[in-house]
Amino acid sequence: MLLVWCIGMKKIASHDEIDIFAPENSRFSFLKSPYAAHITHSAVDIYYGDFGNEALSPVDGEVIDVQSFDTPTPFKEWNSKEYVIAIRQNEMVIKILHVKPDVTPGDSISKGESIGTFIHNGYFIFWNDPVMHVEVRHLNDYLRASNNLCLVPNIEWNELPSSRNIEFECSVEMINKQYSLLFAPYRTSGNVMGFALDGGFLDGYISSQEDGFFGIVKPPWILSPPPVA
């Protein structure tokens, strides 16, 4: 295993005492995907690098399980194999998907250390970038898709701009085979970049379809209101 000293890691989310980190140059999204754990605010996708490049551990801990399974895919030239990497920290497990592992059960891992390489399989559509899917799970329940252990984004909520309706002009930043990347002025709040909307931060992408999926990241007290005395 290679310990990567040259890449700084930033805290992007937490669940209780479990902190999740990502490379400083990464992008990340809590609600962009329509898969089960994202709908319950219990997963984060971390984007950086290229397919086949190293994927870095988002946490410290011990690898306790590595599994593989086939995914459905309409693209015959794609490898359909998916992997689950389970890293234990105290009494919780950090579940990682979309990475072909080069670690084995029993390995001790530190955040920023290589755990494998990014893969492209049946869970991806043509415009997807390399991504690591991360969840915090209970020790005896880390394989099934659904999850309700919510992640708290590392956002400095008091710095959020205030706006419900937003209009912005975009310039073309990049065009590749998968998609076009547009740039618009944004605000930062902690490690998060984006636009204020509906009491929170717009997360993920703006869909071209009327029923397309995206999400709004909101402060914990909006997601889970405190009980009324």
Side-chain angles (χ1 to χ4, degrees):
M1 288 178 291
L2 174 65
L3 185 61
V4 181
W5 297 102
C6 60
I7 297 179
M9 301 290 283
K10 60 186 177 182
K11 177 182 173 181
I12 61 171
S14 62
H15 176 82
D16 292 340
E17 297 180 354
I18 306 295
D19 292 333
I20 297 172
F21 295 82
E24 291 179 347
N25 62 345
S26 65
R27 295 176 290 119
F28 52 96
S29 174
F30 295 90
L31 298 168
K32 172 176 171 288
S33 168
Y35 289 112
H38 288 281
I39 294 174
T40 57
H41 306 167
S42 304
V44 61
D45 287 337
I46 305 172
Y47 298 83
Y48 58 93
D50 295 312
F51 291 108
N53 283 177
E54 284 186 321
L56 309 180
S57 178
V59 294
D60 300 327
E62 178 188 352
V63 178
I64 62 167
D65 194 12
V66 172
Q67 297 196 25
S68 65
F69 58 94
D70 289 324
T71 64
T73 175
F75 306 103
K76 293 181 180 180
E77 68 273 18
W78 287 5
N79 187 337
S80 66
K81 191 69 70 178
E82 177 63 282
Y83 299 88
V84 177
I85 302 174
I87 299 176
R88 179 173 179 172
Q89 187 178 127
N90 299 322
E91 296 306 310
M92 305 299 287
V93 170
I94 295 84
K95 173 183 178 180
I96 299 171
L97 299 174
H98 312 326
V99 173
K100 183 178 181 179
D102 61 12
V103 293
T104 57
D107 288 345
S108 294
I109 297 295
S110 298
K111 62 179 180 289
E113 196 170 40
S114 176
I115 56 174
T117 53
F118 286 112
I119 57 174
H120 203 210
N121 60 34
Y123 287 141
F124 291 71
I125 196 63
F126 66 91
W127 45 258
N128 281 126
D129 282 330
V131 62
M132 172 189 297
H133 173 99
V134 182
E135 302 176 38
V136 176
R137 306 296 293 255
H138 289 300
L139 185 59
N140 60 352
D141 177 29
Y142 58 84
L143 291 178
R144 65 191 179 100
S146 59
N147 185 17
N148 61 1
L149 301 184
C150 293
L151 299 180
V152 178
N154 188 37
I155 298 176
E156 298 170 6
W157 295 103
N158 60 340
E159 293 187 6
L160 282 174
S162 177
S163 174
R164 182 175 179 85
N165 299 310
I166 55 175
E167 294 183 5
F168 48 104
E169 294 183 359
C170 299
S171 59
V172 178
E173 185 86 358
M174 180 181 70
I175 298 176
N176 60 31
K177 294 180 180 180
Q178 286 75 38
Y179 56 82
S180 296
L181 180 65
L182 305 180
F183 174 86
Y186 57 84
R187 292 282 297 275
T188 59
S189 185
N191 287 323
V192 178
M193 305 176 189
F195 305 95
L197 190 69
D198 195 26
F201 237 28
L202 183 66
D203 174 69
Y205 67 95
I206 300 175
S207 174
S208 60
Q209 303 297 323
E210 186 174 339
D211 59 348
F213 183 90
F214 68 91
I216 297 176
V217 177
K218 294 185 177 182
W221 58 87
I222 295 180
L223 294 174
S224 303
V228 177

